[in-house]
Amino acid sequence: MAIVYNPQKYKIEDKPMQAFIDEDEIWQLLHANEDPTIERVREVIAKALNKERLSLEETAVLINANDPALIEEIKAAAKELKERVYGKRIVLFAPLYIGNLCINDCTYCGFRTSNKKQKRTTLTKDDVVDQVKALEDTGHKRLILVYGEHPRYDANFIAESVKMVYGVKHKNGEIRRVNINAAPLDVEDYKIVKEAGIGTYQIFQETYHKETYEKVHQSGTKKHYDWRLTGLDRAQEAGIDDVGIGALLGLYDWRFEVMGLLRHVNHFEAVYNVGPHTISFPRLQSASGLNIDPKYQVSDEDFTKLVAILRLAVPYTGLILTAREPGDIRDEILEYGISQIDGGTNIEMKGYTSHKEEQDLDHEQFQISDNRSLSEVMSELVGNGFIPSFCTACYRRNRTGEHFMEFSVPGFIKRFCQPNALLTLAEYLEDYADETAKEKGYALIKDELGNYEDPKFKDKLIERLEKIKQGERDLYF
Ligand code: SF4
């Protein structure tokens, strides 16, 4: 069944590299759908469960559903849809901060240029090698490299650091996919970064509310709202079709930001016929020399609700949740929305080799709440019946828009995603797990093998699992 885009007509027509947010339109949709009837909410849920993308208006209906019983129905539907689209897979990655020099002065960030307490560091080649080896020795295969916004971190610098990371091989360790979180570039510069073999290019708009945006970004290149908003259009123009968007929840009204994220998705679909690869929605956390302004702080109730709404609204887009969130919140929303998490995260500069217990906010961007190691996260995922995955197959088989395939090509998950997740899990168990974790992990793999009706395919999968036990690595479909 093909993807059902919802070709909506907006006040601002979608054009490549042109701003598209109309704030009045967003608020009109939110106000026009206040106090939706139970029937209307259930009608929208049914549409989502029919694998149809929700319109901005339908998303506004779910946002305005405040009856606790209806919110539970929204979460239950999100859980059902997530399992249909993603099965039990949870993709794992780790962030690696390359440099915290920055010319911007974002009021919410520890790296802001006016923060003289922040210790500035840019990783050398040896530092990168040390950090990546440390990450590989825990079992990671997918990284996101993070940069402050500074002329020193230009396209060539980013491309060089990506190549450095791919070049680090330690024992059976290697990084197979490198994503980027960095400043918006122009089309030619994106081509340089693309050439280095990146996966996703991530840019968070932070807030889609222009007045708030200009208030929290008063100086530096980041003060240009439209340049940032169209940043990933230029990436697409340069041939980077895996892009990641995000909003920093707590700067402005979360209902507006969720609508802004959806409007951004609709813009990509309208102009590039492909939605974003991922959506992130980090909640504001304290940072060096900063306290959080509580005005727009998002409660756990609203946060868990909005994740379920996003899952229903964009069923085929990866939803990322990071260690900003505490373990209990993460464990809850893994059930019905999230498809990617980080594990064993340390965001201090050169943090993966410092082994500090306490966070040093004067050497990192913000406070994190989940300090579990990768092996602890793996153990809990397996314990809760999830399949941790380090899969990078589609990216390396050049199966672009793989989320579409997962969604639109019947059986794609069963044929590629689930078995590849099991193969990467087996690698992890052989190279990085202790005996208890290995036993639990292989018990899960055995259970999962029971779900394969096609004996020929099952044999191929078992054969590869055996080869991994014999020492082969990097086997995938
Ligand atoms: S949010 Fe990014 S651009 Fe803004 S101060 Fe922090 S590192 Fe710089």
Side-chain angles (χ1 to χ4, degrees):
M1 183 178 89
I3 300 254
V4 181
Y5 288 150
N6 57 344
Q8 291 186 67
K9 287 271 165 278
Y10 295 109
K11 288 194 182 138
I12 299 178
E13 191 192 345
D14 287 291
K15 292 191 179 125
M17 299 184 282
Q18 291 195 17
F20 47 85
I21 294 286
D22 182 306
E23 298 182 6
D24 296 341
E25 183 176 49
I26 289 178
W27 276 121
Q28 274 156 14
L29 286 168
L30 283 167
H31 294 319
N33 291 283
E34 275 161 4
D35 304 323
T37 63
I38 294 176
E39 293 71 28
R40 179 69 179 125
V41 174
R42 289 185 175 150
E43 188 185 44
V44 173
I45 291 174
K47 179 178 178 185
L49 285 175
N50 189 32
K51 287 191 178 181
E52 292 180 62
R53 284 269 290 97
L54 297 183
S55 68
L56 271 190
E57 174 141 24
E58 287 153 347
T59 304
V61 168
L62 297 185
I63 287 173
N64 282 308
N66 294 316
D67 171 71
L70 274 179
I71 293 173
E72 285 314 308
E73 285 184 37
I74 291 171
K75 290 179 179 177
K79 179 175 169 50
E80 183 187 334
L81 191 59
K82 184 202 166 205
E83 283 187 9
R84 267 205 256 148
V85 175
Y86 293 88
K88 293 300 258 180
R89 253 174 338 111
I90 299 291
V91 173
L92 282 155
F93 69 94
L96 174 58
Y97 279 71
I98 301 292
N100 64 352
L101 294 173
C102 195
I103 57 170
N104 296 312
D105 209 16
C106 309
T107 60
Y108 48 83
C109 178
F111 292 171
R112 64 196 182 285
T113 190
S114 61
N115 181 17
K116 301 310 174 202
K117 291 200 313 173
Q118 185 66 222
K119 288 168 268 182
R120 306 291 171 171
T121 302
T122 298
L123 271 51
T124 63
K125 179 166 172 105
D126 291 346
D127 293 332
V128 170
V129 171
D130 293 345
Q131 297 302 306
V132 175
K133 274 187 181 171
L135 283 157
E136 288 177 355
D137 288 350
T138 64
H140 273 298
K141 300 279 188 286
R142 303 164 55 102
L143 298 185
I144 183 157
L145 306 186
V146 186
Y147 311 76
E149 301 193 14
H150 191 278
R152 189 165 162 192
Y153 309 147
D154 62 10
N156 290 308
F157 179 90
I158 293 173
E160 270 318 297
S161 50
V162 170
K163 292 174 193 163
M164 273 185 224
V165 170
Y166 281 132
V168 180
K169 314 281 183 190
H170 193 236
K171 300 174 190 163
N172 277 335
E174 61 178 357
I175 300 302
R176 297 173 181 156
R177 183 184 174 119
V178 173
N179 298 335
I180 300 289
N181 181 303
L185 303 171
D186 64 27
V187 176
E188 289 317 305
D189 277 349
Y190 278 121
K191 289 179 181 168
I192 294 170
V193 173
K194 178 178 168 53
E195 278 315 300
I198 68 158
T200 307
Y201 201 103
Q202 229 186 31
I203 297 175
F204 298 170
Q205 185 63 18
E206 316 294 10
T207 175
Y208 287 91
H209 187 248
K210 198 161 188 175
E211 188 189 335
T212 303
Y213 185 94
E214 289 167 350
K215 203 172 68 194
V216 297
H217 303 111
Q218 295 186 10
S219 65
T221 48
K222 196 167 177 178
K223 70 180 183 192
H224 304 296
Y225 177 96
D226 289 356
W227 172 256
R228 193 169 189 83
L229 186 65
T230 56
L232 294 172
D233 279 37
R234 294 187 298 281
Q236 303 252 20
E237 299 287 332
I240 298 176
D241 62 2
D242 275 358
V243 296
I245 62 174
L248 183 58
L249 299 177
L251 294 176
Y252 187 61
D253 190 309
W254 71 264
R255 300 170 299 161
F256 184 94
E257 305 295 15
V258 168
M259 295 286 276
L261 288 168
L262 264 290
R263 184 66 188 85
H264 207 158
V265 173
N266 297 348
H267 170 74
F268 285 141
E269 290 172 356
V271 177
Y272 299 104
N273 200 28
V274 58
H277 191 80
T278 59
I279 299 178
S280 301
F281 27 81
R283 283 196 284 184
L284 206 53
Q285 299 291 343
S286 55
S288 169
L290 289 176
N291 294 318
I292 299 175
D293 172 354
K295 184 172 180 193
Y296 290 114
Q297 220 167 348
V298 181
S299 68
D300 290 351
E301 290 69 35
D302 287 339
F303 187 64
T304 52
K305 173 185 170 185
L306 73 89
V307 173
I309 291 170
L310 283 169
R311 180 42 66 218
L312 290 175
V314 281
Y316 61 83
T317 297
L319 296 185
I320 297 181
L321 191 77
T322 68
R324 278 176 186 255
E325 294 297 332
D328 58 340
I329 290 282
R330 302 221 300 173
D331 292 348
E332 181 194 337
I333 47 185
L334 273 175
E335 291 291 335
Y336 50 72
I338 302 302
S339 54
Q340 288 194 27
I341 61 170
D342 54 352
T345 291
N346 188 319
I347 62 170
E348 183 177 347
M349 305 307 296
K350 301 196 253 187
Y352 291 108
T353 53
S354 70
H355 309 300
K356 282 188 193 149
E357 290 299 310
E358 296 300 309
Q359 275 197 267
D360 172 4
L361 286 183
D362 292 333
H363 208 200
E364 43 202 298
Q365 193 174 26
F366 51 80
Q367 182 86 44
I368 63 172
S369 308
D370 187 346
N371 296 301
R372 292 175 292 178
S373 67
L374 177 61
S375 60
E376 287 167 322
V377 171
M378 292 287 291
S379 168
E380 287 193 30
L381 286 173
V382 169
N384 296 333
F386 290 108
I387 308 171
S389 175
F390 300 95
C391 181
T392 56
C394 283
Y395 157 69
R396 295 189 295 151
R397 288 251 196 236
N398 216 8
R399 289 191 292 248
T400 59
E402 74 263 24
H403 281 266
F404 286 100
M405 291 178 188
E406 277 170 3
F407 189 75
S408 61
V409 177
F412 187 89
I413 297 166
K414 201 135 198 197
R415 183 72 185 69
F416 294 102
C417 309
Q418 302 267 91
N420 284 335
L422 296 178
L423 292 169
T424 63
L425 174 57
E427 279 186 329
Y428 176 87
L429 298 175
E430 291 299 324
D431 293 333
Y432 307 105
D434 62 28
E435 281 316 306
T436 317
K438 204 170 175 178
E439 211 179 300
K440 273 169 65 176
Y442 273 117
L444 176 80
I445 291 175
K446 189 159 173 271
D447 284 356
E448 286 297 318
L449 283 173
N451 299 334
Y452 288 89
E453 294 101 24
D454 171 352
K456 274 215 196 78
F457 182 77
K458 188 174 175 178
D459 289 347
K460 271 199 206 138
L461 178 52
I462 291 171
E463 185 198 331
R464 291 179 190 206
L465 288 166
E466 278 313 311
K467 283 184 175 169
I468 287 174
K469 280 187 182 157
Q470 306 313 318
E472 277 192 52
R473 290 294 174 270
D474 202 15
L475 304 176
Y476 53 89
F477 294 94

